[in-house]
Amino acid sequence: MGNTGIYVGLDIGTTSIKVIVAEYIKGQMNVIGVGSERSEGLSRGVVVDIDKAVTAIQKAVKQAEQKASIEIQHVSAGIPANLLEIESCQGMIAVANESREISDADVKNVASAALVRNLPPEREILTISPDEFIVDGFDGIKDPRGMLGVRLEMHGTILTAPKTVIHNMRKCIERAGLVLDQLVVSPLSIGKLALTDGEQDFGTVLIDLGGGQSSAAVIHDHKLKYTYVDQEGGDYITKDISVVLNTSFENAEKLKRDYGYADSLQASEAETFPVEVVGQDAPISVNEKYLSEIIEARLTQIFEKMATALGQAGALNLPGGIVITGGVAALPGMVELASDIFDHQVKLYIPEAMGLRHPSFAQALGLINYTAHLSDVDLIVASTLSGQMPVTNTAEAHTSWQTPVAEPTRPQAQPSQSVAQPEQQAPKSTDDQGIGAKFRKFLGNFFE
């Protein structure tokens, strides 16, 4: 059951920026405000122009504020899985309390011990999450607070990403006058929303087809095990249509949305539509079949590269099948095309929230769902990255900043604190970080 309160999800995508305000009451999510603005300053999921991105974020936030009638200050934002690395970690400490009762401070100290590691200078720890705690040899503990013990251990997972990607994302949010509560890797948040408990447990491949890029993530045993990112997305499909039909990018996008099919076998040769061609006064007539063949060619290329990478990782043998979401997934025939290429069971995820029943809203809704279900222990462990003890995830913590909108005056957001890094040692050798080594390590630990 989720915590009670109001949460805001900020999806900074390549083609659009979405802001969703939702209220959680007794585990039920009710959307009360939505804002959507065309993205600027982003390329392939990464911020390349901070000023343009800030302006687009502020416009989307203002739309959501007007509909929800609150002033938005705190948000949870998603970050793409570009160059993401997944590592296991563990730490061990002696319980400091004289009564031997484990406290919040002990949990934070054992998490800090698990963070001690060498990182290349260009990388930063994005998040740390606990898998289990061990008290005096007794394992499988989710929350050790209040227990008696002498030795406390934690086994968890660390996600690292390029510093540039993380810094630019945080900078945009802060300059937009917002306070960043959680920065979550996109596959993690979408997986918690789109996959059932059984799919997360037994193992499922989650494919997110966005405008700037396409990503595949393997979720097994409720953990993110592997990610693959293809730098081709819906914008590439639109460019293909624009080039082949010699029409503007805007017209090509409209044709894709109004007449496009992912599977050309479902399109009709008899159904035609006019296309404005650059350099000609009169439009030409194009049928659905021809347009869909252009779309199918690019999607086939994306799926075939994904299938190769997932096959090498052994992920296509998981019983949960494949779940597809993201804005491009809305094209008719997507499930049929993916099923043919992957030769696997495929289903489409569409959010159930009223008014948001489109796969492009999965990321923003996933951020809200992910944040609302974070436990106090999760927040304490995550706070080791900022060096501050978090506020308990309760209704008071998430409603104190919500005020009716009249003429919003946002306070200046405090700069986020950088991750406390251990003393730098020599970075890992290139051989140790090679693709082959990563796959061998992944295959060896995949089903643990």
Side-chain angles (χ1 to χ4, degrees), residues 302-317:
I302 294 172
F303 285 155
E304 285 179 346
K305 287 189 288 185
M306 277 188 181
T308 299
L310 292 170
Q312 290 175 343
L316 294 178
N317 297 323

Side-chain angles (χ1 to χ4, degrees), residues 29-104:
M29 180 172 66
N30 301 311
V31 176
I32 60 175
V34 180
S36 182
E37 184 69 23
R38 181 161 184 82
S39 286
E40 290 188 51
L42 281 95
S43 176
R44 301 178 180 181
V46 177
V47 176
V48 294
D49 189 319
I50 292 178
D51 291 335
K52 289 183 177 180
V54 167
T55 301
I57 291 171
Q58 289 174 331
K59 290 180 179 178
V61 168
K62 185 176 181 180
Q63 293 176 24
E65 285 180 332
Q66 292 174 343
K67 294 177 181 177
S69 298
I70 65 170
E71 180 183 350
I72 296 174
Q73 293 180 3
H74 293 245
V75 299
S76 296
I79 190 168
N82 298 45
L83 301 176
L84 182 72
E85 290 187 3
I86 307 169
E87 302 178 32
S88 59
C89 67
Q90 61 182 39
M92 181 177 67
I93 64 165
V95 178
N97 197 323
E98 291 183 0
S99 66
R100 300 305 180 191
E101 185 173 302
I102 298 172
S103 64
D104 291 359

Side-chain angles (χ1 to χ4, degrees), residues 269-286:
E269 293 185 4
E271 295 292 333
T272 61
F273 47 85
V275 177
E276 297 179 4
V277 178
V278 175
Q280 295 186 20
D281 294 332
I284 63 172
S285 180
V286 176

Side-chain angles (χ1 to χ4, degrees), residues 140-151:
I141 299 171
K142 296 300 181 183
D143 187 350
R145 295 175 302 166
M147 296 183 177
L148 291 178
V150 176
R151 186 179 71 253

Side-chain angles (χ1 to χ4, degrees), residues 44-301:
R44 301 178 180 181
V46 177
V47 176
V48 294
D49 189 319
I50 292 178
D51 291 335
K52 289 183 177 180
V54 167
T55 301
I57 291 171
Q58 289 174 331
K59 290 180 179 178
V61 168
K62 185 176 181 180
Q63 293 176 24
E65 285 180 332
Q66 292 174 343
K67 294 177 181 177
S69 298
I70 65 170
E71 180 183 350
I72 296 174
Q73 293 180 3
H74 293 245
V75 299
S76 296
I79 190 168
N82 298 45
L83 301 176
L84 182 72
E85 290 187 3
I86 307 169
E87 302 178 32
S88 59
C89 67
Q90 61 182 39
M92 181 177 67
I93 64 165
V95 178
N97 197 323
E98 291 183 0
S99 66
R100 300 305 180 191
E101 185 173 302
I102 298 172
S103 64
D104 291 359
D106 292 317
V107 172
K108 186 169 182 178
N109 289 337
V110 76
S112 297
L115 285 173
V116 177
R117 60 188 53 245
N118 295 324
L119 280 179
E122 73 278 4
R123 298 194 68 81
E124 181 176 333
I125 296 176
L126 177 62
T127 184
I128 176 173
S129 58
D131 296 332
E132 67 168 350
F133 293 90
I134 303 173
V135 178
D136 292 345
F138 294 94
D139 59 4
I141 299 171
K142 296 300 181 183
D143 187 350
R145 295 175 302 166
M147 296 183 177
L148 291 178
V150 176
R151 186 179 71 253
L152 176 63
E153 300 175 58
M154 188 194 84
H155 292 184
T157 303
I158 288 177
L159 304 181
T160 68
K163 281 186 177 180
T164 300
V165 176
I166 298 174
H167 172 80
N168 290 351
M169 189 70 72
R170 286 178 175 156
K171 194 70 174 179
C172 287
I173 295 170
E174 290 167 3
R175 287 185 55 181
L178 303 169
V179 177
L180 179 63
D181 284 343
Q182 298 289 333
L183 189 60
V184 188
V185 177
S186 298
L188 267 180
S189 59
I190 298 176
K192 295 291 184 182
L193 179 72
L195 305 182
T196 65
D197 186 73
E199 289 170 338
Q200 294 181 61
D201 188 13
F202 287 93
T204 303
V205 176
L206 176 65
I207 295 177
D208 180 17
L209 299 176
Q213 59 187 19
S214 305
S215 63
V218 177
I219 297 177
H220 177 252
D221 195 22
H222 294 270
K223 303 172 189 174
L224 182 62
K225 297 285 188 175
Y226 171 78
T227 59
Y228 167 82
V229 177
D230 189 322
Q231 298 298 338
E232 297 179 8
D235 284 351
Y236 273 74
I237 297 174
T238 304
K239 289 177 182 177
D240 290 343
I241 297 172
S242 175
V243 170
V244 174
L245 299 183
N246 198 23
T247 188
S248 67
F249 188 88
E250 290 73 19
N251 287 337
E253 180 68 22
K254 189 174 186 304
L255 293 174
K256 181 182 71 175
R257 294 177 183 272
D258 294 346
Y259 306 103
Y261 284 82
D263 185 359
S264 62
L265 296 178
Q266 298 187 20
S268 170
E269 293 185 4
E271 295 292 333
T272 61
F273 47 85
V275 177
E276 297 179 4
V277 178
V278 175
Q280 295 186 20
D281 294 332
I284 63 172
S285 180
V286 176
N287 63 53
E288 285 182 351
K289 182 79 169 179
Y290 186 59
L291 174 65
S292 298
E293 286 174 348
I294 301 171
I295 298 172
E296 182 182 9
R298 177 63 67 173
L299 285 172
T300 299
Q301 178 175 308

